[in-house]
Amino acid sequence: MKKIISIYSNSWKELFVTKNIVLCGLMAALAVILSMVASIDVGPYIRIGFSGLPNRIVECLFGPVAGCLFGGMLDILKYMLKPSGPFFFGFTFNVMLAGLIYGTILYQKPVTVKRIVAAEFLTKLTVNCLLNTLWISMLYGKGFFVLLPLRVLKNAIMLPIDSCILYFTLTYMKKILRYLDGYSRKKKFSA
């Protein structure tokens, strides 16, 4: 329990570092651009989207509290920029919950396939299959158990794809950050 409290406490403190806020702003801009231009349709019901990757980077770097708040604010911003249907807070809640899940599993830990798959599976099960299906059922009057099988199948297909994309993204992001950290130290000592 102390470990979880420490993760959330450290994540809260990340929100008060200026360079972290700047990076969150850049990630938000990237997410908005990716949501408007970058997705691959693999069929009538399956789409590989990349707009969630900036969220995952923020959650990995700054933890569950920062990821939750970032995701919630970004979801509202995306809706204001490009509304699609009525606003429903349930979907914003889903993004915030996903931020908590990814942030708790990935923050201050090495990037491993096992950890990525666990985060993806837990998010797909709770957020995508259960909560999203519940919200869609409530909004459109469709039966929950009528929608559930197709949504479970879609998420089962997307689990390995999303896990691979996230693993490679976070692995290279960590390498870039290590390089930049080493570069800034060399520059500091050479001055």
Side-chain angles (χ1 to χ4, degrees), residues 26 34 37 56 66 78 83 104 112 114 117 141 150 155 176 189:
L26 292 171
L34 288 174
V37 297
R56 305 296 88 86
K78 283 181 186 178
T104 303
T112 63
K114 188 176 179 181
V117 170
L150 186 59
N155 282 282
I176 290 168
F189 290 119

Side-chain angles (χ1 to χ4, degrees), residues 20-153:
N20 296 354
I21 299 299
V22 170
L23 184 58
C24 284
L26 292 171
M27 289 294 115
L30 181 61
V32 168
I33 291 167
L34 288 174
S35 72
M36 295 187 183
V37 297
S39 66
I40 301 168
D41 291 329
V42 182
Y45 301 109
I46 297 178
R47 172 181 286 163
I48 299 173
F50 300 100
S51 66
L53 291 176
N55 292 52
R56 305 296 88 86
I57 290 171
V58 167
E59 293 147 5
C60 181
L61 291 177
F62 308 129
V65 175
C68 174
L69 295 174
F70 176 81
M73 288 189 284
L74 183 60
D75 187 66
I76 292 168
L77 176 66
K78 283 181 186 178
Y79 180 79
M80 289 188 323
L81 291 174
K82 187 179 177 186
S84 57
F87 179 78
F88 183 68
F89 182 75
F91 296 120
T92 303
F93 174 77
N94 287 357
V95 174
M96 295 172 77
L97 180 60
L100 284 175
I101 293 169
Y102 283 109
T104 303
I105 294 173
L106 301 174
Y107 180 55
Q108 296 179 334
K109 296 177 182 97
V111 176
T112 63
V113 173
K114 188 176 179 181
R115 191 167 278 125
I116 298 283
V117 170
E120 285 286 343
F121 176 76
L122 193 57
T123 303
K124 288 189 182 321
L125 177 67
T126 57
V127 175
N128 295 1
C129 290
L130 297 177
L131 289 175
N132 269 353
T133 306
L134 177 64
W135 305 145
I136 291 169
S137 172
M138 288 171 53
L139 281 173
Y140 300 107
K142 306 274 185 188
F144 178 84
F145 291 106
V146 172
L147 296 170
L148 189 61
L150 186 59
R151 296 187 56 78
V152 169
L153 177 63

